[in-house]
């Protein structure tokens, strides 16, 4: 016998994947952003590097969205 329980549609799993990717990106940005602000406070020439490193985790969410639309 097969256990009956709530089933999750494919769109629900896709939403979960994108949501978890966004959660992970936000968690990563928390540490990177605070470190970048500290580095920029010490040396203003590090602004460009800090900006790039802060935005980099957001590409994970964009890639997750691309995968959802491709699949």
């Amino acid at each position: 016998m097969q256990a009956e329980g709530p089933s999750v549609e494919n769109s629900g799993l896709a939403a979960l994947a994108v949501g978890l990717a966004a959660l992970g990106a936000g968690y990563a940005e928390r540490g990177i952003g605070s470190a970048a602000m500290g580095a920029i406070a010490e040396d203003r020439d590090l602004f460009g590097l800090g900006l790039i490193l802060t935005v980099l985790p957001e590409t994970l969410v964009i890639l997750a969205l691309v995968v959802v639309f491709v699949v």
Side-chain angles (χ1 to χ4, degrees), residues 6-19:
S7 65
V8 179
E9 303 269 336
N10 287 340
S11 60
L13 293 175
L16 181 65
V18 173

Side-chain angles (χ1 to χ4, degrees), residues 62-71:
I62 295 170
L63 290 176
L65 281 171
V66 168
V67 167
V68 165
F69 288 126
V70 168
V71 173

Side-chain angles (χ1 to χ4, degrees), residues 37-50:
M37 286 290 106
I40 292 169
E42 294 289 326
D43 185 8
R44 289 180 100 42
D45 293 334
L46 294 174
F47 176 76
L49 182 62

